Amino acid sequence: MTGILHPSSAQNWLSSQGSSSGLIVKRTIRVDIPVDKYPNYNFVGRLLGPRGNSLKRVEASTECRVLIRGRGSIKDPAREDMMRGKPGYEHLNEPLHILVEGELPVEIVDARLMQAREILEDLLKPVDESQDYYKKQQLRELAMLNGTFREEGSPMSGSVSPFNNSLGMKRAKTRG
């Protein structure tokens, strides 16, 4: 009899997982991007971050899906023009905006959507580049991803090659 899970004990285990009613709902909110007020600001780059990681972090922390939609949401303008009017790309006729989708238990979906909205609205406030801590963090992350990161004040030169460091390591000789 050991090792066999009775349906009643499985049901008790499942129902003891939080106080959720089990009702999952899908809700979507729209956050407009102020491109009309700041036409030269790179909102899409700021939202996405290096390799999309900034947007992925917003999604992970809120458990919501974040979609950048509207004119300017496709990087290549020629491709955007080509896709405009096709099924699934109707959003390209609208101004640039964000859709936040939450498919969560009814008790928490609104709170998570509001949390995502607050994070995104904060990111959509243009900041002078010299004061933009968030962008500095993104550039630092990109350098780390690319393997070109250098600590400030590092004795290393512009190269991050392991053969050009202060330990005196040299490249192995190869026959040419």
Side-chain angles (χ1 to χ4, degrees):
M1 197 70 154
T2 58
I4 298 174
L5 192 61
H6 294 286
S8 61
S9 63
Q11 192 61 39
N12 289 341
W13 179 80
L14 288 170
S15 64
S16 67
Q17 297 294 305
S19 61
S20 175
S21 66
L23 181 62
I24 304 288
V25 295
K26 184 174 182 177
R27 296 216 174 111
T28 302
I29 60 170
R30 178 180 165 137
V31 179
D32 290 319
I33 299 175
V35 285
D36 51 335
K37 289 182 190 167
Y38 308 97
N40 297 323
Y41 197 79
N42 182 9
F43 290 105
V44 175
R46 184 170 172 85
L47 290 166
L48 289 173
R51 305 199 183 147
N53 286 345
S54 298
L55 203 62
K56 289 175 192 170
R57 271 195 288 279
V58 174
E59 289 181 332
S61 67
T62 62
E63 296 181 31
C64 292
R65 191 143 181 246
V66 181
L67 307 147
I68 300 172
R69 294 286 185 252
R71 281 186 298 278
S73 61
I74 296 178
K75 192 174 189 176
D76 180 10
R79 184 166 180 266
E80 184 173 309
D81 288 340
M82 189 178 76
M83 301 311 286
R84 188 171 281 115
K86 293 192 176 171
Y89 291 90
E90 295 84 1
H91 66 87
L92 293 174
N93 294 319
E94 301 174 30
L96 194 61
H97 61 279
I98 304 165
L99 293 180
V100 184
E101 295 178 350
E103 194 165 351
L104 296 160
V106 69
E107 296 86 1
I108 63 167
V109 69
D110 289 328
R112 293 291 171 84
L113 288 171
M114 289 306 111
Q115 179 187 6
R117 177 191 292 271
E118 287 173 14
I119 294 168
L120 293 167
E121 284 178 345
D122 197 41
L123 292 176
L124 293 173
K125 292 177 185 157
V127 179
D128 182 68
E129 210 163 301
S130 65
Q131 317 244 309
D132 196 347
Y133 175 76
Y134 187 75
K135 184 170 184 176
K136 285 178 185 162
Q137 288 298 103
Q138 286 181 325
L139 291 171
R140 178 185 175 102
E141 180 182 0
L142 182 63
M144 291 172 104
L145 289 168
N146 289 337
T148 58
F149 178 70
R150 290 180 290 142
E151 287 288 339
E152 288 181 31
S154 164
M156 242 175 156
S157 69
S159 169
V160 291
S161 165
F163 307 109
N164 188 15
N165 66 15
S166 58
L167 299 176
M169 284 176 47
K170 294 186 177 163
R171 174 175 270 158
K173 290 184 179 173
T174 57
R175 291 183 206 161

